[in-house]
Amino acid sequence: MDTVNHTHLRPVALVRGVTFRVVNKCPFPVWPAAAPNAGHPVLAGGGFLLPPGQSRRVSAPPTWNGRFWGRTGCNFTSTATNHHGNAAAACLTGDCGGRLACNGTAGAPPATLVEVDLHEDQSKGSSYDVSLVDGYNLPVAVWTKPPTPGAAAADRKCVIPGCAKNVNAVCPPELQVTAAAAVVACKSACVAFGTDAFCCRGAHGTAETCRGSAYSRVFRDACPAYVSYPYDTAAAAARCYAEVYVLTFCPSRWGAGADRVAQA
């Protein structure tokens, strides 16, 4: 009978489950939401309220794929409907059909998206990025909880810091979403105008033919670590293994350095 030589086999570390610690450092309530990619489960009902200064832990399978975003200015007590007879938007930004628990429904743009692709095998790592391809409504920082007890901060390559500027304050008028005379979100050029050139599709559907625009450069200047358009290679996704990922809305200050953000 053949025997297997185990001396050359290296153990593969598998994650049993992953936790997302969602933190709200904004001075106002945020309603975080999550939507899975096809074939993956809904997390935490798809959405919940997070008051200022509060956090919540959300459990996920070790191979979960999907997106997180924050909703603002929500009021779920209204029974109003739109002209189609459906529930009217309950949130000023990131609304998902007027529901508190999005139950897998994606949010309405513009909204800052945290895109996640988890892998169970530690050697492969998991990838995540922050995308403004659908526009911006809130700053968010993402990092891994230090895997070693006593570690001062997450590895720099695992940190996606917040923005250097408030995008809503520098948003061009033609991209602005306003409420009560205040800018509450900033559309991407694709969302605002819907052209192939801005949306990187059709004849502009390759990295060679879609190189961004003056509008995406507004996002790039304010949030250098975020993906500003579909083929933005300047903002590479982080690829880091962890059992805990921290998502913080409104990090400590505009332009916070990676070390400061990671220790918050």
Side-chain angles (χ1 to χ4, degrees), residues 73-76 78 80-82 86-93 95-99 108:
C74 299
N75 178 1
F76 296 102
S78 174
T81 58
N82 59 27
N86 301 319
C91 302
L92 294 178
T93 69
D95 188 75
C96 61
R99 296 186 293 269

Side-chain angles (χ1 to χ4, degrees), residues 95-114:
D95 188 75
C96 61
R99 296 186 293 269
L100 169 62
C102 297
N103 196 31
T105 302
T112 310
L113 300 178
V114 177

Side-chain angles (χ1 to χ4, degrees), residues 20-253:
F20 293 99
R21 181 170 177 253
V22 186
V23 183
N24 180 17
K25 287 192 174 182
C26 302
F28 47 81
V30 172
W31 286 261
N37 291 342
H40 295 270
V42 174
L43 306 183
F48 51 90
L49 165 64
L50 198 58
Q54 299 295 308
S55 66
R56 176 167 171 173
R57 294 181 181 273
V58 176
S59 297
T63 57
W64 190 80
N65 283 208
R67 58 177 58 181
F68 290 91
W69 71 97
R71 295 168 290 172
T72 62
C74 299
N75 178 1
F76 296 102
T77 62
S78 174
T79 59
T81 58
N82 59 27
H83 62 280
H84 295 296
N86 301 319
C91 302
L92 294 178
T93 69
D95 188 75
C96 61
R99 296 186 293 269
L100 169 62
C102 297
N103 196 31
T105 302
T112 310
L113 300 178
V114 177
E115 301 174 318
V116 177
D117 181 6
L118 298 181
H119 290 279
E120 189 173 19
D121 185 344
Q122 178 179 347
S123 65
K124 295 181 179 179
S126 296
S127 63
Y128 47 95
D129 64 54
V130 179
S131 173
L132 301 182
V133 171
D134 286 344
Y136 167 99
N137 67 334
L138 286 172
V140 59
V142 186
W143 65 91
T144 56
K145 184 176 179 180
T148 305
D155 190 324
R156 280 181 176 272
K157 68 180 177 60
C158 299
V159 177
I160 300 177
C163 297
K165 300 176 183 178
N166 181 351
V167 175
N168 288 340
V170 297
C171 184
E174 59 270 32
L175 303 184
Q176 294 176 0
V177 176
T178 60
V183 179
V184 296
C186 188
K187 299 176 184 178
S188 67
C190 176
V191 170
F193 307 118
T195 66
D196 286 354
F198 285 134
C199 296
C200 296
R201 65 191 179 207
H204 302 270
T206 68
E208 291 73 27
T209 57
C210 188
R211 297 181 177 273
S213 65
Y215 294 117
S216 66
R217 286 190 284 275
V218 171
F219 289 163
R220 161 67 51 207
D221 179 61
C223 310
Y226 294 2
V227 178
S228 61
Y229 69 98
Y231 290 101
D232 185 359
T233 57
R239 184 174 292 279
C240 296
Y241 158 83
E243 294 185 11
V244 179
Y245 295 87
V246 183
L247 283 60
T248 300
F249 294 105
C250 302
S252 299
R253 66 167 194 253

